[in-house]
Structure formats: C-alpha cells, structure tokens
Amino acid sequence: MAHPSQLGLQDAASPVMEELIHFHDHALMIVFLISTLVLYTIVAMVSIKLTNKYILDSQEIEIVWTILPAVILIMIALPSLRILYLMDEINDPHLTIKAMGHQWYWSYEYTDYEDLGFDSYMVPTQDLTPGQFRLLETDHRMVVPMESPVRILVSAEDVLHSWAVPALGVKMDAVPGRLNQTAFITSRPGVFYGQCSEICGANHSFMPIVVEAVPLEHFENWSSLMIEDA
C-alpha cells in the first residue's frame, strides 16, 4: 500500500514485481552515473581554462564515446527483455478468474467453479468503516490463494478499461470484444489495492480493484460460502 510522500515503488507482493523493482534500481543507478559524469564534464569545461589538444582531436576518445553508450544500452535492454518475457509466462495456473470492466465497476467470474461470480463496486465515503481507504475499498474483494499461479482473463463490456494492481506488478488493458490474459503469484498474504488505469469516462476514478491473498484453506472456505450464498 502506498503512503503519503512515498518516493519509491510499493513493496513487492509477487516475484515479477520484485524483478521489476530490481530492474528499476539497476536502470536508476546507470542514469545516476551518466548524470554525474555529464555534470562533472560541464563543470570542468566551465571552470578550467587550460585546453588539452588531445581531447579536441582524438580518434581514441571518439571510439570510446561511441562504443560506451551502446554497451550501456545493452546492459539496460537485456534485463528488460528478460522481465518482459517473464511477465508473459503463464504456466499451469491453479485458478482462472475473468475480470470484466464496466462503467464503472468490475465484475469477477471464477471460471473453475460453476456458480461463483460477483460485481465489485466502490464503497461510498459515507459507508466506510475505520481502517478502510477512501476511493480504494470495494464491497466485494477478489480473493485468491497465496503462492498459487492465478490467471486473469481481462475484457470490457462497454469502453476501454485497464486492470492494474501495482504491488503485484500487473497491468492489463480491458478491450471490448477482446480477451487479454495475464498471471501473477502472490508471495505473501495481504490486501493489495489497484485502480482502473485507462480513462473510461466520468467515474473513471471510482472503480477500484482489491485483491485479497489468503492461505489455500481459507480460500476454499470462502469459495464454499460464496457458492452457498449464491
């Protein structure tokens, strides 16, 4: 969960998000080193009056500053491509959930069960209980078993939406008439918040996403109760 004045990313709750945070730190360090070198060069050129004739016309220096940026780009591109393919991996999911975007709420259907589905609306501010977050809490949470591969099928019924949960490293566009899929594994129990990340109309800000990761035994009890209530 993000907090006020937070500078970094949210704490990772999935292996993919951990990889994304590591890559962010890796790229940020490279940018910091480049910025430091450029700043030093500018300060040196402005403050030092002496001129080195070998810097003004040097074949060796031109070779270095041509090859070095290419090497730096490779150092950034290879880890980036690795994570990109990791995010597309969907291996033997234990659970499949269909998330359908509407104006302006989400509906979830657990396709492995015959009759398990519900709509998820934002809880109005006046109905919040102590400890709940304004504009982020829903009346029905999407409950998943922790440490289990979960596949999410994302689509929309009316306009473009986007199903995004930052702590899980998941963001998938919901396109009417098209079924997109993504997957995640929650590495710890908890409640993880997200929001629609595609401008979808007047109430775009009021269709939050809440994913609750629980142990498998608790998930089985929850699913049984939901089916009985249905």
Side-chain angles (χ1 to χ4, degrees):
M1 180 67 194
H3 56 78
S5 303
Q6 179 174 334
L7 294 179
L9 302 173
Q10 294 186 26
D11 292 339
S14 71
V16 169
M17 190 59 193
E18 291 178 5
E19 293 287 341
L20 288 171
I21 291 176
H22 291 157
F23 174 70
H24 169 268
D25 296 342
H26 167 73
L28 192 64
M29 184 56 65
I30 293 176
V31 171
F32 175 75
L33 293 175
I34 293 173
S35 302
T36 304
L37 177 62
V38 172
L39 180 62
Y40 169 77
T41 304
I42 293 173
V43 171
M45 291 180 64
V46 171
S47 60
I48 298 176
K49 296 181 180 180
L50 298 176
T51 302
N52 190 326
K53 65 177 182 179
Y54 295 108
I55 294 180
L56 293 177
D57 185 15
S58 173
Q59 192 73 30
E60 291 77 12
I61 290 180
E62 290 185 8
I63 292 173
V64 169
W65 70 37
T66 301
I67 294 177
L68 193 59
V71 173
I72 292 174
L73 288 175
I74 291 173
M75 291 174 60
I76 295 175
L78 291 181
S80 175
L81 289 172
R82 173 178 169 270
I83 297 175
L84 193 63
Y85 281 100
L86 278 176
M87 294 175 71
D88 281 340
E89 287 289 333
I90 301 177
N91 294 322
D92 191 24
H94 296 176
L95 181 67
T96 299
I97 303 173
K98 182 180 179 182
M100 183 72 72
H102 307 266
Q103 287 183 310
W104 287 273
Y105 64 95
W106 292 96
S107 61
Y108 299 102
E109 179 184 342
Y110 289 69
T111 59
D112 299 293
Y113 297 83
E114 288 188 2
D115 190 18
L116 180 52
F118 50 84
D119 296 331
S120 181
Y121 291 87
M122 186 193 75
V123 176
T125 302
Q126 62 271 17
D127 297 335
L128 291 173
T129 59
Q132 291 185 330
F133 298 102
R134 189 179 72 89
L135 302 182
L136 288 177
E137 196 60 60
T138 60
D139 56 353
H140 290 96
R141 295 173 173 176
M142 191 186 89
V143 181
V144 298
M146 59 174 286
E147 297 180 341
S148 297
V150 179
R151 174 172 57 187
I152 305 295
L153 304 176
V154 184
S155 187
E157 191 177 68
D158 34 48
V159 299
L160 292 176
H161 299 278
S162 185
W163 198 86
V165 182
L168 300 176
V170 174
K171 183 180 186 294
M172 182 56 65
D173 288 343
V175 182
R178 178 170 178 169
L179 204 60
N180 293 328
Q181 69 174 354
T182 185
F184 62 85
I185 302 175
T186 53
S187 53
R188 56 186 171 87
V191 180
F192 312 109
Y193 296 90
Q195 290 177 300
C196 176
S197 297
E198 188 73 45
I199 296 177
C200 56
N203 291 332
H204 160 67
S205 303
F206 308 112
M207 48 182 303
I209 301 160
V210 184
V211 178
E212 183 175 358
V214 298
L216 180 60
E217 182 181 353
H218 294 181
F219 172 78
E220 291 175 343
N221 295 336
W222 171 85
S223 60
S224 299
L225 290 174
M226 290 292 290
I227 293 173
E228 290 176 1
D229 293 342

